[in-house]
Amino acid sequence: MSALIDSYGRLIKDLRISITPRCNYKCSYCDPLGIIQKDPIGTVSVADIDNVLAAAVELGIESIRFTGGEPLLRQELPEMIHIAKQVYGIKDVAITSNASLLKRRLADLITAGLDRVNISFDAADPEVFSRITKGGNIKQVWQAIEAVQAAGLQPVKLNAVIMKDINDSEILGLAELSRELPYHIRFIEYMHLNNSDSESYFKNFVAGKDIKAKIEAEFGELTALDTDPSAPARLFKVANWAGAIGFINPVSEPFCGACSRMRLTSDAKLRPCLLTDREISVREALDSEKPVEAMIEMFLLAAHRKVKSGITSPVDRPRTMVSIGG
Ligand code: SAM
């Protein structure tokens, strides 16, 4: 086994695999181009995922996160998880999901080998939640969150992208969920993957430090917890609360220097950096006679193409988060 190290000495150990660009929610920050219903469900097959994982494991990848779009829209998700966990023995196998379809499929996913779930949860108030997701039912999501907790998949991570005048009124309510519940409530800065004019982007942007200040003004000082330096979230705690509060600040405090990630998109492209539209099609490699060997070459090439730091000013992009995979 060799390691996947980029030109700046960063060890790549986390792979995010988007298995579909489609989503049943329509959050404006994620899919401003309305791509959801236009793209195919996802062209990476279970056999492709098997070959990708075989290569990834050879290169020392330790954690896999299946995402999308909404990964639960792919019926084959349990098979993919099974391959990652039980065939290749990946240490940490997770999904990122809006959890609307999670409750009834959770048992199958756990049997397949799922270790953890990250859940998008942009509001604690049912009406705000429904408005942001364009029809999402918070009750369904809560039931799934409770089922994940009951099943012992720890820690339950809830992610909220905060946008001014859209859900900044939810900051305290979301943070307060960690008072009684052992969840990680993570606030993510809104990134400019939105292809909209920069004026509206900046109008909606809220810096992580302002979210933190608001929480501290209400609940007292947050104490920093030890966190893996390559993890995007910095974690804190209100004294004596059960859970933690995290901040993911890619815009105001870019963490490219500690990046350990690479992405595979649902149309079979390796994307070395989230914020750089430099992708490598791996379709030919996956269809070749020796797909695993060919994929190892593709991973090495993609690692070589990782940039030191992603673009941080607003640009028009052919893809937004829903089709890249968050
Ligand atoms: N459908 C799943 C979900 O809702 O979690 C997985 C896909 S979604 C693209 C994954 C993550 O990307 C979510 O946590 C979402 O909040 C985040 N995300 C999407 N667009 C974003 C943006 N413009 N800025 C910051 N985070 C974003």
Side-chain angles (χ1 to χ4, degrees):
M1 190 175 84
S2 53
L4 194 55
I5 297 175
D6 77 1
S7 328
Y8 302 94
R10 293 171 296 199
L11 177 68
I12 313 304
K13 55 185 177 66
D14 307 311
L15 179 63
R16 296 193 183 171
I17 301 181
S18 173
I19 57 174
T20 180
R22 294 214 193 148
C23 190
N24 53 337
Y25 280 2
K26 298 176 179 59
C27 310
S28 64
Y29 58 79
C30 194
D31 182 32
L33 301 179
I35 224 160
I36 290 167
Q37 300 307 335
K38 289 188 219 144
D39 278 15
I41 187 81
T43 58
V44 283
S45 65
V46 174
D48 291 335
I49 298 290
D50 193 329
N51 289 322
V52 167
L53 291 172
V57 135
E58 278 301 309
L59 292 166
I61 294 290
E62 293 174 357
S63 91
I64 296 291
R65 176 119 62 81
F66 292 104
T67 180
E70 175 48 46
L72 287 162
L73 294 182
R74 281 288 295 265
Q75 290 313 310
E76 310 98 313
L77 179 60
E79 283 172 72
M80 296 173 180
I81 290 172
H82 173 88
I83 294 168
K85 191 75 194 180
Q86 303 194 33
V87 177
Y88 294 112
I90 299 277
K91 214 196 285 177
D92 183 44
V93 179
I95 60 170
T96 300
S97 170
N98 62 35
S100 58
L101 306 168
L102 182 59
K103 192 179 168 209
R104 71 184 168 80
R105 296 190 63 196
L106 187 62
D108 284 349
L109 300 179
I110 292 173
T111 304
L114 183 69
D115 291 309
R116 277 187 316 104
V117 185
N118 285 8
I119 296 172
S120 290
F121 196 72
D122 294 320
D125 177 86
E127 271 174 37
V128 181
F129 185 86
S130 169
R131 197 159 60 235
I132 292 173
T133 53
K134 311 236 174 15
N137 178 342
I138 203 168
K139 245 196 218 160
Q140 273 176 344
V141 175
W142 259 124
Q143 286 172 358
I145 293 170
E146 284 165 2
V148 170
Q149 174 69 17
L153 303 193
Q154 308 275 9
V156 176
K157 295 181 185 175
L158 304 187
N159 294 332
V161 176
I162 297 297
M163 296 171 79
K164 193 163 178 0
D165 298 331
I166 295 182
N167 65 341
D168 55 342
S169 57
E170 292 297 301
I171 293 171
L172 297 179
L174 286 166
E176 204 170 0
L177 294 174
S178 71
R179 187 194 288 268
E180 305 289 344
L181 301 164
Y183 303 162
H184 291 188
I185 310 297
R186 310 186 323 159
F187 294 96
I188 307 179
E189 280 181 350
Y190 173 35
M191 286 184 282
H192 50 71
L193 286 151
N194 65 350
N195 283 65
S196 67
D197 60 294
S198 49
E199 200 182 314
S200 81
Y201 169 74
F202 285 115
K203 201 165 63 84
N204 290 134
F205 176 76
V206 185
K209 72 169 171 40
D210 294 334
I211 301 174
K212 183 166 177 272
K214 188 167 180 170
I215 294 170
E216 290 192 309
E218 183 70 18
F219 301 122
E221 200 185 339
L222 292 175
T223 311
L225 299 176
D226 278 346
T227 354
D228 168 3
S230 71
R234 301 275 73 86
L235 288 180
F236 296 82
K237 201 175 171 64
V238 177
N240 302 319
W241 283 20
I245 297 174
F247 299 92
I248 301 180
N249 298 342
V251 181
S252 67
E253 297 173 59
F255 37 78
C256 300
C259 183
S260 58
R261 286 170 287 286
M262 193 168 290
R263 288 178 162 76
L264 180 78
T265 62
S266 60
D267 54 354
K269 294 187 175 130
L270 271 180
R271 187 173 174 105
C273 302
L274 172 63
L275 293 172
T276 308
D277 293 320
R278 213 185 237 193
E279 296 177 345
I280 303 166
S281 172
V282 295
R283 176 43 58 207
E284 222 174 287
L286 290 171
D287 291 343
S288 68
E289 297 270 296
K290 294 190 168 170
V292 178
E293 288 85 338
M295 261 321 291
I296 289 176
E297 291 304 314
M298 293 292 109
F299 271 120
L300 293 170
L301 180 63
H304 183 68
R305 291 204 186 163
K306 270 182 87 71
V307 295
K308 194 170 181 189
S309 180
I311 297 162
T312 50
S313 56
V315 289
D316 271 357
R317 294 178 187 282
R319 280 185 192 268
T320 54
M321 204 65 141
V322 73
S323 81
I324 296 170

